[in-house]
């Protein structure tokens, strides 16, 4: 059995379609999706329409779907600039697609071929212990800015850091043997330890590991043994960037449209960098939230951090401080 595993699509239908086409060439028998399907990019309906028709499939919700529940509970009243990507997706999703996302389970288990596969959008010990900095995207970015490493080195360092931390090692050994799937931090990763496999397929729609291609992972199980192939698929960033304009998303929230395009075309943590810039702006101003956002956007732009459609990777400014 060969599974194609996807996470964190975030409404990027261009990336999803490219990755699904690649999965066919890899002989995928079934599809596993582990959350965050519709927000941040303007094509949430297209993504949900696609995943609803994948068969056979195993699909759970992520924290992004939880935010849709919060939006519904507030009756769509979360209108501050911070929530505009979520608000756009909530308002543009069809009623059927919204209901579908809200009804997805939080976790799932697949038992086939003598192997149990556990699905969850996030596993706490990959994010919370301060010693495991490699699994925080901002810390990952800081490392890549100072002393870049290869993906192979990242896999080795990540595993070593997990196993060297007593509490994390105990948490790993407390889990049942089998395959544990998770996403959430947009960093593709996998490791094995004493009969336990951990797979993060990365972000199909919005990578944060300095590789802007669509990420997903192939898991093949045969005779109770497994093989793992991490896949990265190129897609048309220019066509996707134009889609932000034609969809109306750029007019609705130019700040988030630009930041999202920056991360899409570079694979770098522009969302985090902008939020850090926003926090610094808020700390030095005693004004309304709207004025803080407007000032943050203007100063971000003044530093050359908005490209307005320019996808020249070699000319990207330093927007990290």
């Amino acid at each position: 059995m060969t599974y194609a595993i996807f996470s964190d699509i975030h409404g990027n239908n261009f990336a999803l379609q490219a990755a699904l086409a690649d999965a066919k060439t890899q002989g995928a028998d079934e599809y596993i999706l582990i959350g965050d399907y519709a927000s941040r990019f303007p094509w949430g309906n297209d993504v949900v329409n696609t995943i609803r028709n994948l068969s056979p499939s195993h699909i759970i919700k992520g924290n992004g779907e939880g935010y849709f529940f919060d939006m519904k509970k507030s009756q769509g009243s979360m209108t501050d600039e911070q929530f505009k990507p979520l608000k756009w997706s909530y308002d543009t999703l069809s009623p059927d697609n919204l209901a579908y996302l809200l009804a997805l389970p939080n976790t799932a288990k697949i038992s086939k071929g003598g192997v149990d596969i556990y699905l969850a959008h996030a596993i706490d010990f990959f994010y919370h212990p301060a010693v495991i900095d490699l699994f925080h995207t901002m810390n990952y970015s800081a490392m890549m800015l100072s002393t870049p490493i290869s993906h192979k080195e990242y896999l080795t360092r990540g595993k070593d850091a997990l196993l060297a931390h007593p509490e994390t090692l105990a948490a790993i050994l407390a889990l049942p043997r089998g395959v544990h799937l998770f996403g959430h931090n947009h960093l593709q990763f996998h490791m094995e330890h004493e009969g336990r496999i951990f797979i993060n397929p990365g972000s199909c729609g919005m990578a944060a590991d300095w590789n802007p291609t669509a990420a997903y992972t192939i898991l093949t199980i045969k005779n109770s043994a497994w093989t793992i192939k991490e896949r990265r698929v190129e897609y048309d960033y220019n066509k996707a960037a134009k889609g932000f304009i034609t969809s109306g998303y750029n007019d609705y929230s130019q700040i988030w449209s630009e930041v999202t395009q920056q991360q899409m075309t570079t694979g770098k943590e522009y969302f985090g960098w902008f939020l850090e810039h926003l926090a610094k702006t808020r700390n030095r101003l005693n004004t309304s939230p709207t004025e803080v956002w407007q000032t943050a956007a203007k100063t971000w732009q003044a530093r050359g951090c908005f490209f307005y459609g320019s996808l020249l990777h070699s000319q990207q400014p330093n927007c990290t401080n």
Side-chain angles (χ1 to χ4, degrees), residues 129-263:
V131 70
I132 317 297
D133 287 344
L134 286 173
F135 299 109
H136 295 260
T137 54
M138 292 296 283
N139 292 331
Y140 180 93
S141 292
M143 174 193 68
M144 292 298 286
L145 284 168
S146 60
T147 53
I149 63 173
S150 69
H151 182 66
K152 183 178 180 180
E153 290 175 299
Y154 172 66
L155 296 180
T156 299
R157 287 194 191 182
K159 181 177 181 178
D160 289 347
L162 287 165
L163 300 184
H165 190 257
E167 291 182 7
T168 301
L169 178 58
I172 289 173
L173 295 177
L175 292 172
R177 293 177 183 271
V179 181
H180 297 266
L181 307 182
F182 64 100
H184 186 56
N185 70 346
H186 298 207
L187 300 173
Q188 194 172 40
F189 180 81
H190 74 275
M191 64 169 275
E192 178 180 3
H193 183 69
E194 295 193 10
R196 296 159 181 86
I197 290 279
F198 297 92
I199 298 174
N200 183 337
S203 174
C204 181
M206 196 175 184
D209 55 5
W210 292 48
N211 181 342
T213 53
Y216 79 100
T217 296
I218 290 287
L219 169 66
T220 300
I221 299 175
K222 185 176 182 180
N223 298 326
S224 298
W226 46 64
T227 58
I228 298 167
K229 288 195 294 184
E230 293 182 339
R231 303 290 296 171
R232 304 302 292 242
V233 185
E234 294 184 357
Y235 64 98
D236 193 339
Y237 309 130
N238 289 281
K239 188 173 182 179
K242 291 177 182 178
F244 278 84
I245 306 298
T246 58
S247 69
Y249 185 88
N250 197 70
D251 293 332
Y252 181 77
S253 180
Q254 187 177 39
I255 297 173
W256 285 126
S257 174
E258 292 290 344
V259 172
T260 302
Q261 289 179 67
Q262 288 163 353
Q263 185 151 339

Side-chain angles (χ1 to χ4, degrees), residues 37-56:
Y37 306 114
S39 62
R40 297 194 184 180
F41 285 78
W43 307 289
N45 269 316
D46 296 325
V47 168
V48 180
N49 288 336
T50 294
I51 67 174
R52 290 181 68 176
N53 287 291
L54 288 177
S55 181

Side-chain angles (χ1 to χ4, degrees), residues 1 24 67-68 81 83 175 182 220 241 243 267 269-270 284 304:
M1 179 67 67
K24 289 183 179 179
Y67 294 148
F68 285 135
E81 191 73 35
F83 302 114
L175 292 172
F182 64 100
T220 300
E269 184 51 85
Y270 275 91
R284 72 171 186 267

